[in-house]
Amino acid sequence: MRKFGIAVHGGAGTILQDKMTREKEDIYTQALREALTVGYVIIEKGGNAVDAVEAAIRCLEDNPCFNAGRGAVFNHEGKHELDASIMDGKFLKAGAISCVKNIKNPITLAKEVMQHSEHVFLCAEGAEEFARWRGIAFAPDEYFFTTQRYEQWQHATANELMQLDHGGEKKFGTVGAVALDQQGNLAAATSTGGITNKRFGRVGDSPMIGAGTYANNRTCAVSCTGHGEYFIRAVVAYDVAALMEYKDMLLKEATDLVVNHKLVEFGAEGGLIAIDSFGNIEMPFNSKGMYRGYWKSAEEPVIAIYK
Ligand code: ASP
């Protein structure tokens, strides 16, 4: 049997063990395990990497714990503006959407753009119009309301902050998934609500192919989480793939160089998950923690939160 595997993240940031309750830890661990399982089962049965990453992300988007889909942060106007992207490493096809409102599962809309439009990136009302045309599910504002995010937003507006923070601690709750299927195909996907109190149509790295998401069967699949303004300029996801392709680096060397050296020197906090065409998985981060997990064929799933 050919090796396969999947990895997911639920965001990086100042996630400190001494600030965490056992109960919260269990909730996150369970959520990551569920997402991993949903994706793993698809690949185990011979399904493709694109479907696996989409399914894993949908699971995380439906969970109010994460800053994507249902649990997305509030923007300046008190709305939820959602960004997502997906890439198929076999054909180098990609789909992305940004600044959409009321889309229940943004990742599914991104996949729809990839598979059923002649474009790569749609935004705002245009993307919503495309979603209606393709019969993608919408959800009312109430669906996206969570008390915790509301309080964060209240705090941010009161203090005029545009924040990646989370009650004083930096935390990026974006979700991502990368997978290698039994046919040797790679895929990556990322979904986010962006940052609390964002305005002016701010878009981070998550929906940008090459910055927050990238997949190429020749090298690897990558999904990032961190301070988008830096990740965009560092073209993080593509940088990992390029180091492998042009410098013959191993996945471990490339991800370590980008996350623990280049991004640190640049002043960027965050991390990424990556899988290569051999099924190797790396999940480096330069923040205190990152919600993450992976499941390789013929092994047990692994979930971790702290360093
Ligand atoms: N990268 C995301 C953004 O800047 C934030 C995150 O990773 O949570 O929009």
Side-chain angles (χ1 to χ4, degrees):
M1 186 186 59
R2 215 189 147 120
K3 267 191 172 179
F4 61 91
I6 181 163
V8 297
H9 73 73
T14 315
I15 307 162
L16 299 167
Q17 194 155 15
D18 53 8
K19 293 239 175 83
M20 196 62 130
T21 61
R22 193 54 206 263
E23 198 191 352
K24 236 175 121 186
E25 240 173 51
D26 287 348
I27 291 173
Y28 279 103
T29 303
Q30 186 54 30
L32 293 165
R33 189 183 300 275
E34 249 177 59
L36 270 183
T37 306
V38 165
Y40 186 89
V41 167
I42 291 177
I43 320 179
E44 191 182 34
K45 286 186 179 155
N48 70 61
V50 168
D51 291 341
V53 293
E54 183 210 6
I57 296 268
R58 281 180 67 103
C59 196
L60 297 167
E61 284 176 342
D62 291 344
N63 190 318
C65 290
F66 301 99
N67 174 18
R70 188 168 180 196
V73 296
F74 286 80
N75 71 1
H76 191 67
E77 291 78 35
K79 299 279 183 197
H80 308 274
E81 268 175 346
L82 314 166
D83 303 334
S85 64
I86 190 164
M87 185 156 181
D88 176 344
K90 182 179 183 187
F91 300 110
L92 298 186
K93 285 177 76 175
I97 47 115
S98 71
C99 295
V100 300
K101 296 196 187 83
N102 302 98
I103 299 293
K104 187 168 175 284
N105 290 106
I107 200 64
T108 297
L109 179 55
K111 186 180 164 205
E112 198 74 9
V113 172
M114 173 170 84
Q115 296 184 334
H116 299 284
S117 85
E118 53 200 70
H119 310 297
V120 169
F121 205 151
L122 301 180
C123 77
E125 290 87 2
E128 290 159 20
E129 193 186 330
F130 175 76
R132 271 188 287 275
W133 178 54
R134 294 296 310 173
I136 295 288
F138 280 67
D141 284 349
E142 308 83 79
Y143 172 80
F144 300 91
F145 183 93
T146 55
T147 311
Q148 181 208 7
R149 301 291 183 208
Y150 182 75
E151 283 168 2
Q152 275 171 27
W153 175 56
Q154 292 289 295
H155 173 79
T157 39
N159 297 285
E160 289 183 25
L161 296 170
M162 173 124 61
Q163 60 175 24
L164 290 148
D165 314 26
H166 183 71
E169 68 200 44
K170 265 193 202 154
K171 188 161 155 286
F172 316 96
T174 292
V175 305
V178 294
L180 170 69
D181 65 28
Q182 296 194 50
Q183 292 72 49
N185 295 315
L186 291 167
T190 312
S191 179
T192 189
I195 59 180
T196 299
N197 206 25
K198 63 184 180 180
R199 64 197 297 196
F200 310 126
R202 180 267 182 193
V203 179
D205 59 308
S206 308
M208 289 185 195
I209 297 302
T213 304
Y214 192 74
N216 183 340
N217 276 6
R218 292 164 65 95
T219 52
C220 61
V222 181
S223 169
C224 302
T225 169
H227 199 151
E229 278 66 12
Y230 289 87
F231 276 60
I232 291 170
R233 288 174 288 157
V235 203
V236 175
Y238 180 71
D239 200 19
V240 171
L243 286 167
M244 292 178 72
E245 186 166 359
Y246 303 123
K247 280 213 153 183
D248 275 331
M249 282 194 181
L250 299 173
L251 185 74
K252 190 173 179 44
E253 295 168 335
T255 53
D256 178 58
L257 177 64
V258 171
V259 176
N260 294 319
H261 298 276
K262 294 176 83 170
L263 283 177
V264 170
E265 279 158 33
F266 199 28
E269 189 181 344
L272 56 82
I273 54 172
I275 185 167
D276 69 14
S277 46
F278 303 103
N280 297 307
I281 293 176
E282 295 295 334
M283 332 184 79
F285 53 97
N286 61 38
S287 48
K288 292 278 189 266
M290 181 167 85
Y291 297 110
R292 62 200 188 278
Y294 68 83
W295 195 346
K296 292 181 183 177
S297 45
E299 290 183 19
E300 289 299 310
V302 176
I303 314 278
I305 299 178
Y306 317 105
K307 273 263 188 245

